[in-house]
Amino acid sequence: MRAYSEHYVTIDFEGWRYFELLLRERDAARYRDYQWPYYNQHGIYRTSLSRSHVSERTSLSRSHVSELNLYLNNLPPNDTATVYLSPLKALRTTSIELRNPTLEVNGQKLTIPVTLPSGFYLEVEPAGDCAV
């Protein structure tokens, strides 16, 4: 099945900048902000891995990437932009685990007894409830 990894970079500067776009961290929430030459909402929000890959539940299968497309949006009609790319690299990533994360606010520390694999996140409610 098709799955897409949408990423958005705001180019509101001149000069050189370095960006890393991680397949694991998609930006599908902004998809509807623009018009695209393709239409596949399901491919934007789905994962191409089976649910048995628990530690990579939100990832795309890196071994099946077929293309990279770059689009410029929000240009005024009949306007132009010049963007130089150099070089584009597919970098290896390594899964890690974050154990017992600690938050500190105003000098008070809160340690949460949990292990978070790469690609997972923790939600903490004001009442103290947590969800991975």
Side-chain angles (χ1 to χ4, degrees), residues 55 94-103 110-122 132:
S55 68
T94 302
S95 293
I96 63 167
E97 290 183 339
L98 177 62
R99 292 184 182 92
N100 304 319
T102 300
L103 304 172
L110 170 65
T111 299
I112 303 167
V114 67
T115 299
L116 297 171
S118 292
F120 279 63
Y121 62 92
L122 180 67
V132 173

Side-chain angles (χ1 to χ4, degrees), residues 5 13 17 21 25 33 37-38 47 55 63 68 71 94 96 99 104 110 113 115 123 128 132:
S5 183
F13 58 87
R17 299 276 172 95
L21 306 176
E25 298 174 10
D33 293 348
Y38 59 88
T47 176
S55 68
S63 62
L68 168 70
Y71 300 99
T94 302
I96 63 167
R99 292 184 182 92
E104 184 174 346
L110 170 65
T115 299
E123 291 182 357
V132 173

Side-chain angles (χ1 to χ4, degrees), residues 70-91:
L70 303 170
Y71 300 99
L72 295 178
N73 290 308
N74 292 340
L75 291 175
N78 301 316
D79 202 354
T80 61
T82 301
V83 176
Y84 297 99
L85 303 171
S86 167
L88 299 175
K89 296 181 181 181
L91 304 175

Side-chain angles (χ1 to χ4, degrees), residues 1-36:
M1 77 177 115
R2 289 193 175 270
Y4 298 96
S5 183
E6 295 288 315
H7 301 278
Y8 302 89
V9 175
T10 301
I11 302 174
D12 58 357
F13 58 87
E14 290 186 23
W16 185 90
R17 299 276 172 95
Y18 175 80
F19 295 96
E20 286 187 7
L21 306 176
L22 304 175
L23 283 178
R24 176 178 306 267
E25 298 174 10
R26 293 186 273 179
D27 194 5
R30 293 178 60 188
Y31 171 77
R32 294 177 190 236
D33 293 348
Y34 305 102
Q35 292 183 353
W36 300 103

